[in-house]
Amino acid sequence: MRVFSSIEELRHTLDALKRQGRTVGLVPTMGYLHAGHMQLVARARAENDIVVVSIFVNPLQFGPAEDLSKYPRDLERDAAMLKQAGVNFLFSPGVEDMYPRPMQTVVDLPDLGRELEGAVRPGHFAGVATVVCKLFNIVQPQTAYFGEKDYQQVVIIRRMVEDLAVPVRVIAVPTVRDVDGLALSSRNVYLSKAERRAAVIIPQTLEEAERLVTGGLADPAELETKLMTFLGREPLVKPEVVAVRDAATLEPVTTITAPVVVALFVRVGSTRLLDNRVVGGNKLSGEQGLPGKGVSR
């Protein structure tokens, strides 16, 4: 596995391989890898000749009161995991490599990006879309892989790809969970033992949503209220977003018809965690690229 921090050196190397007809898959990450990331890598490895994994803790997507400075980092550990998994290239630029001068260009999806998680993290998804667009321009992969846990992020990236006619297929890979159902996340390391035990109420809430909808509950507002109450049983958990939305567009729904996504964004202690479940089918898993190709939003 070769490691790059220079955009130009990575581009030069990839250009030579692409001229040989080699296909390239990209897995964008912020590092501190876990089994969920490695599932993305495995999928990319199975579907491409060359796999590039990026590790970059992107300051554009962190607010002033968020955890940029303490976000977990261990590049040596991550590199060893990626090498073992058969990754060809690790792209680990510094901030000065990605943003040699302050960015004036922003990729923003104002409607999608200000909903749900974006409502409590202003500017977050503009930072996400901007860095992902830049990574797509640097690597120019045929395919890119993202986890379903970050459901809103995948919807936003797919819409960006469609709107800007970016020639990348976006693949959503199902969430990887711990034995008790909690979605794997780099931020889980922040949780104390008591908070980790409390966090299991998050997947339990999604199970409760499935049970209620299967039982005939069709009013999204009523479902949201019941789920807020369910989460309220755990004193260490503070819900910030509990929403039922159209699974493809994230638009509000007036009646629950399949498929809808139940989206949770909660604080466990001081740690923000997110999770989701699509009820009645799934329109996210799989791929999307240019209009007319792949799975529609």
Side-chain angles (χ1 to χ4, degrees), residues 115-244:
E115 291 289 310
L116 304 175
E117 182 182 355
V120 293
R121 299 185 71 188
H124 170 69
F125 285 112
V128 170
T130 299
V131 76
V132 170
C133 187
K134 187 158 188 173
L135 288 168
F136 284 176
N137 286 332
I138 292 166
V139 177
Q140 298 182 20
Q142 283 87 358
T143 314
Y145 298 82
F146 297 87
E148 253 183 38
K149 179 179 73 69
D150 298 298
Y151 195 99
Q152 185 176 6
Q153 173 177 278
V154 177
V155 172
I156 283 172
I157 291 167
R158 285 181 163 176
R159 183 58 184 265
M160 177 190 76
V161 162
E162 180 180 321
D163 285 353
L164 300 181
V166 181
V168 176
R169 291 182 297 121
V170 175
I171 307 292
V173 178
T175 302
V176 177
R177 298 182 178 276
D178 213 332
V179 291
D180 60 3
L182 185 67
L184 297 187
S185 168
S186 299
R187 286 188 168 91
N188 289 354
V189 70
Y190 297 155
L191 301 172
S192 69
K193 289 183 179 180
E195 290 166 350
R196 177 62 185 79
R197 290 192 296 270
V200 75
I201 199 166
I202 299 170
Q204 289 173 352
T205 301
L206 297 174
E207 292 282 352
E208 177 70 0
E210 181 88 44
R211 185 188 71 79
L212 289 168
V213 172
T214 301
L217 179 58
D219 182 347
E222 183 181 353
L223 178 59
E224 290 168 0
T225 299
K226 287 181 178 294
L227 297 181
M228 286 283 285
T229 301
F230 190 92
L231 282 166
R233 294 162 40 180
E234 175 49 66
L236 295 180
V237 172
K238 177 184 177 183
E240 294 193 336
V241 174
V242 176
V244 178

Side-chain angles (χ1 to χ4, degrees), residues 13-49:
T13 302
L14 288 173
D15 285 348
L17 293 167
K18 291 171 188 174
R19 286 195 295 270
Q20 299 171 13
R22 312 288 288 278
T23 59
V24 176
L26 171 66
V27 181
T29 82
M30 293 207 301
Y32 212 74
L33 304 178
H34 53 66
H37 295 110
M38 303 317 293
Q39 190 67 27
L40 305 181
V41 170
R43 180 76 178 269
R45 178 73 276 169
E47 297 178 356
N48 299 274
D49 300 320

